[in-house]
Amino acid sequence: MVSNKSNPTVEWRRRLSAALREMNLNPAQQARLEEIVEQELTVLEQLHGELTLCRQHTRLLEQVLEGTSEGIAVTDSQGCIQMVNASFCGLTGLSGDQARGKHIHRINCHEEAGDKFALVFAALEDQSAWGGEMVHRRSDGHQFHQWLSVARMGGGQDERLVWALRDISEIKTSEERITYLAYHDALTGLPNRRLFSDRLEVAIATATRKKQRLALLFLDLDNFKHVNDGLGHAAGDELLQETSRRLRGKVRDEDTVARLGGDEFILLLVGVQEAEYAAVVAQRVLDDLARPFRLRGKEFYLSASVGITLFPDDGSEAEGLMANADMAMYRAKAAGRNNYKLFTPALNEKVQRRMALEGALRQAIGNQEFLVHYQPKVELAQGRVVGMEALVRWERPGHGLVSPGEFIPLAEDTGQIVAIGRWVLEQACRQAKAWHDKGHRDLAVSVNLSPRQFQQKDLVPLVTDTLGASGLDPRSLELEVTESMLMSSVDDAIVTLNELSALGVRLSMDDFGKGYSNLYYLKHFPMDTLKIDRSFVRDVAVEPDDASIVDTIINMSRSLKLNVIAEGVEDTDQLRFLRERSCDQMQGFLFSRPLPPDQITQMLTSGLRLH
Ligand code: C2E
Ligand code: MG
Ligand code: MG
């Protein structure tokens, strides 16, 4: 109700009554006029009341608008800002004056803002409101997630757009935190089982497409319970955190380490070439966990058991693979803990054998377990011994003499061949010099080079230094190479071969006929000798095809002015054939097997010849 005090009509009424009195009207006229004035005043009184209410409402609305935490802007239908509230200024960092007259999308400096607003305006063409998330960046670079809503109001010329923006950064952060916690282990920060399963599914799909192998390593700590029971849960937690750090440190970025719960972890290795790689990683992890853990100022030792399964070898489904890895882990536990087992027994055995061989090979050089045997090369015209091929042997403790066929490929893979090859070269040069000093001055020594050795940058200086240290005439050293190792990078190979040849060293193409037998390159390689591969020599006397191959190689050597030698000569029929075709030299069991150096010395002293 409108109070009399604030109601101006009371005053109007008083003044009108006074004016009527002064007009000296007759009573009827006065009564009539008073009645009319009263009616109008009543209307005015009502209008005044409504106006007052309106004012109160407007003031209230203004207070609401200014007090709300949402940033509000009113624009015309094109988005040109006409009015903003205080929160809008607070959120956008603009004053009212700065905002007014600007297009709404110009207040957001984020690079995607333009496109987003274009979508909003497109949506408003056929709907009256829109709401969605958007990143808002202020001109000072500060940015936050906002919820933006807009509603179309009015119509025609008077149409307005009312925009409301709300900062939802905190909600976003807690949402992200909730999502993170749903997929990660809170203690270690590692992916949990759920995320791991997702990643495994994706990895299986990718590996299937790329025809690649995956490895799953299921790891369970062996004595975690003792820590938990003995030192308390807080110490147990620390131990798990440190374990997770060590595990992460042993895999590549693209691999996944997850904690499945308790003291169980699982590793997913992608792009695995060989089962051995998974075993190598497992061993690395075990070695790293064997380092002491420091807890509460005390040292503590831990070990683990690891079960390995491979995709697609052991299964193609995520669940099955995880069960296999788990089962293999139990086998590792049963086998005495602190070790790993592969799911497939045959593969397990193969990998373990290879790993044991690799470990033993690593120690073999230091333990001086290598020997060099020598096999004579004989020239066929006179039957004289003209050279020796140095062939490495490994006297492996408990295994007897291991042939190079068994360990050279592994040493090549692991790179150990470089050290082994260097040692053989030193031995062979020194031994040849010793034979020269005993009077066998024409004797040459041949040393096999492996692909990896041949690619070493320091091969030429190594050969130079070794020759220098032994005092052997470079012309008495022959290096045997194979075509396959030259063909991987022909231009580099030509450079290296020329440098070796320039030292005076002889070069021989080993196992010729087995590989490319590329005559074009043969012409460009500075070779001195071709060694006909054993596989052709074997049946040379009974197989016409082999006979013509050997015949061709001998003729070709002659026209290229190369020395030619047949390897693997075991019987007299083969020898007769080679003699008939005027092959230069032979090497094989028929004359002698590879022998230790002292037996070769005796042979040389006795002057043994081929008849
Ligand atoms: P290779 O260079 O072709 O050596 C000849 C191989 O044939 C030797 O085997 C030798 O014992 C064998 N052999 C010789 N005469 C006969 C024969 O009449 N009948 C048969 N059945 N075999 C015969 P080994 O010593 O087992 O060596 C095998 C391969 O290992 C060598 O083939 C060579 O590629 C590699 N190798 C040996 N020593 C070394 C080395 O010091 N460094 C490198 N990189 N490779 C080596
Ligand atoms: Mg050889
Ligand atoms: Mg050979």
Side-chain angles (χ1 to χ4, degrees):
M1 267 297 23
V2 182
S3 75
N4 278 352
K5 212 171 153 204
S6 62
N7 189 349
T9 54
V10 178
E11 176 60 18
W12 298 343
R13 203 171 264 117
R14 196 187 54 75
R15 274 198 265 151
L16 277 169
S17 302
L20 282 176
R21 269 194 308 278
E22 279 171 19
M23 289 170 88
N24 286 326
L25 299 171
N26 65 41
Q29 282 173 320
Q30 179 156 349
R32 177 74 190 124
L33 212 52
E34 274 180 357
E35 190 187 336
I36 293 169
V37 165
E38 191 52 40
Q39 278 172 0
E40 294 306 319
L41 277 175
T42 310
V43 171
L44 268 178
E45 217 166 41
Q46 274 171 2
L47 280 176
H48 176 76
E50 279 170 25
L51 187 64
T52 309
L53 260 180
C54 250
R55 280 214 187 106
Q56 283 175 342
H57 265 126
T58 308
R59 208 166 304 128
L60 191 64
L61 282 177
E62 271 171 13
Q63 281 168 358
V64 169
L65 201 61
E66 286 308 304
T68 182
S69 61
E70 291 203 350
I72 307 282
V74 178
T75 70
D76 65 14
S77 58
Q78 304 304 306
C80 182
I81 297 176
Q82 297 175 331
M83 192 218 101
V84 294
N85 71 350
S87 294
F88 185 92
C89 296
L91 285 169
T92 60
L94 299 172
S95 69
D97 284 346
Q98 287 169 326
R100 265 186 298 277
K102 266 205 169 107
H103 193 280
I104 188 82
H105 90 251
R106 317 265 320 179
I107 55 152
N108 187 344
C109 303
H110 194 270
E111 57 270 19
E112 289 174 7
D115 291 347
K116 284 250 177 177
F117 274 103
L119 289 177
V120 177
F121 278 102
L124 288 174
E125 302 232 318
D126 46 30
Q127 61 199 57
S128 59
W130 179 92
E133 275 183 33
M134 208 185 269
V135 179
H136 186 101
R137 186 182 301 153
R138 300 197 322 206
S139 57
D140 61 6
H142 171 80
Q143 70 179 40
F144 59 91
H145 282 272
Q146 68 172 6
W147 179 266
L148 181 70
S149 51
V150 51
R152 224 173 34 208
M153 307 217 167
Q157 293 282 69
D158 293 331
E159 188 180 85
R160 297 281 180 278
L161 299 175
V162 179
W163 305 78
L165 28 332
R166 185 152 40 104
D167 183 350
I168 54 165
S169 301
E170 270 181 35
I171 301 171
K172 278 302 259 196
T173 312
S174 59
E175 255 177 31
E176 277 162 14
R177 178 90 195 128
I178 290 166
T179 314
Y180 180 84
L181 287 177
Y183 286 99
H184 290 82
D185 169 43
L187 178 67
T188 61
L190 291 177
N192 62 11
R193 185 186 288 270
R194 206 160 137 199
L195 179 54
F196 183 81
S197 300
D198 285 358
R199 292 221 184 140
L200 180 57
E201 297 282 359
V202 173
I204 287 176
T206 313
T208 308
R209 209 175 53 246
K210 294 190 178 168
K211 297 198 170 25
Q212 283 180 340
R213 195 177 260 149
L214 302 172
L216 280 193
L217 277 63
F218 196 110
L219 182 144
D220 187 289
L221 299 180
D222 289 331
N223 38 2
F224 179 66
K225 206 173 159 330
H226 298 315
V227 184
N228 242 1
D229 294 350
L231 296 176
H233 286 267
D237 284 355
E238 269 179 51
L239 192 94
L240 291 170
Q241 287 168 334
E242 174 61 16
T243 301
S244 71
R245 273 192 290 275
R246 291 194 189 182
L247 295 180
R248 259 286 18 135
K250 291 292 148 203
V251 297
R252 301 159 303 174
D253 285 349
E254 56 269 38
D255 299 329
T256 299
V257 177
R259 180 175 173 223
L260 296 180
D263 59 350
E264 284 181 354
F265 295 85
I266 193 157
L267 285 68
L268 168 64
L269 312 181
V270 295
V272 173
Q273 303 272 341
E274 300 280 340
E276 280 81 6
Y277 174 72
V280 168
V281 174
Q283 190 56 56
R284 251 191 250 153
V285 162
L286 292 176
D287 291 345
D288 202 37
L289 291 180
R291 286 191 294 117
F293 286 77
R294 281 202 79 74
L295 286 181
R296 321 270 133 130
K298 281 194 208 142
E299 283 199 345
F300 198 88
Y301 289 87
L302 200 66
S303 68
S305 301
V306 181
I308 304 174
T309 193
L310 299 164
F311 166 89
D313 313 60
D314 302 331
S316 54
E317 310 255 313
E319 226 173 282
L321 284 167
M322 285 178 74
N324 287 349
D326 193 7
M327 203 184 291
M329 186 276 292
Y330 275 101
R331 274 193 226 133
K333 284 239 187 256
R337 300 161 175 237
N338 193 22
N339 67 40
Y340 63 85
K341 284 267 178 280
L342 280 94
F343 176 70
T344 309
L347 201 56
N348 190 53
E349 208 174 298
K350 186 177 149 230
V351 167
Q352 305 266 359
R353 212 179 318 119
R354 191 181 148 127
M355 298 289 284
L357 191 68
E358 201 184 309
L361 198 54
R362 213 172 297 134
Q363 302 184 345
I365 291 193
N367 293 349
Q368 303 189 326
E369 291 166 12
F370 290 113
L371 306 169
V372 183
H373 283 188
Y374 295 87
Q375 188 177 33
K377 296 183 179 185
V378 182
E379 56 91 33
L380 291 176
Q382 311 285 328
R384 276 185 314 124
V385 174
V386 290
M388 294 290 167
E389 177 170 9
L391 294 160
V392 69
R393 301 286 178 264
W394 176 19
E395 195 152 38
R396 185 178 172 198
H399 290 77
L401 268 196
V402 185
S403 89
E406 271 184 66
F407 68 86
I408 295 266
L410 178 61
E412 180 72 24
D413 278 0
T414 60
Q416 289 160 317
I417 190 68
V418 175
I420 298 173
R422 189 184 307 138
W423 182 83
V424 173
L425 183 68
E426 281 165 12
Q427 295 299 308
C429 289
R430 212 178 296 156
Q431 183 61 63
K433 179 70 170 79
W435 285 324
H436 284 195
D437 292 346
K438 276 196 158 62
H440 311 290
R441 298 206 180 280
D442 297 335
L443 199 70
V445 70
S446 309
V447 175
N448 292 285
L449 287 185
S450 84
R452 219 197 268 210
Q453 249 182 306
F454 189 72
Q455 281 154 16
Q456 295 295 304
K457 295 251 175 303
D458 66 347
L459 176 68
V460 178
L462 173 81
V463 172
T464 315
D465 293 350
T466 312
L467 281 167
S470 66
L472 185 71
D473 180 349
R475 280 168 304 178
S476 300
L477 175 66
E478 183 175 62
L479 295 175
E480 295 194 3
V481 296
T482 57
E483 274 179 291
S484 54
M485 69 196 232
L486 304 180
M487 298 307 275
S488 61
S489 172
V490 175
D491 293 340
D492 292 345
I494 292 176
V495 171
T496 309
L497 291 174
N498 280 327
E499 284 174 8
L500 289 170
S501 183
L503 295 178
V505 170
R506 313 263 154 180
L507 297 168
S508 166
M509 187 72 91
D510 205 356
D511 307 338
F512 189 75
K514 213 167 83 175
Y516 303 77
S517 307
N518 187 318
L519 302 184
Y520 173 79
Y521 288 122
L522 194 59
K523 212 180 100 185
H524 288 82
F525 295 142
M527 286 294 146
D528 299 283
T529 303
L530 288 189
K531 284 188 92 170
I532 307 171
D533 190 64
R534 200 167 68 214
S535 58
F536 303 113
V537 176
R538 193 182 52 221
D539 295 326
V540 81
V542 287
E543 274 288 339
D545 284 353
D546 289 339
S548 50
I549 289 172
V550 172
D551 204 19
T552 307
I553 299 176
I554 294 173
N555 287 328
M556 194 177 71
S557 305
R558 194 158 308 127
S559 46
L560 290 172
K561 303 207 165 34
L562 297 175
N563 191 25
V564 62
I565 175 167
E567 54 183 1
V569 180
E570 295 184 352
D571 61 44
T572 47
D573 291 342
Q574 296 162 341
L575 180 66
R576 195 175 313 117
F577 180 92
L578 295 166
R579 277 202 162 128
E580 276 169 17
R581 307 298 151 110
S582 306
C583 181
D584 297 318
Q585 295 174 14
M586 68 74 88
Q587 177 183 349
F589 294 171
L590 177 68
F591 183 74
S592 170
R593 287 183 176 263
L595 295 171
D598 52 346
Q599 291 187 36
I600 294 287
T601 307
Q602 280 175 21
M603 178 193 288
L604 291 172
T605 314
S606 74
L608 185 70
R609 279 175 178 243
L610 177 71
H611 297 293

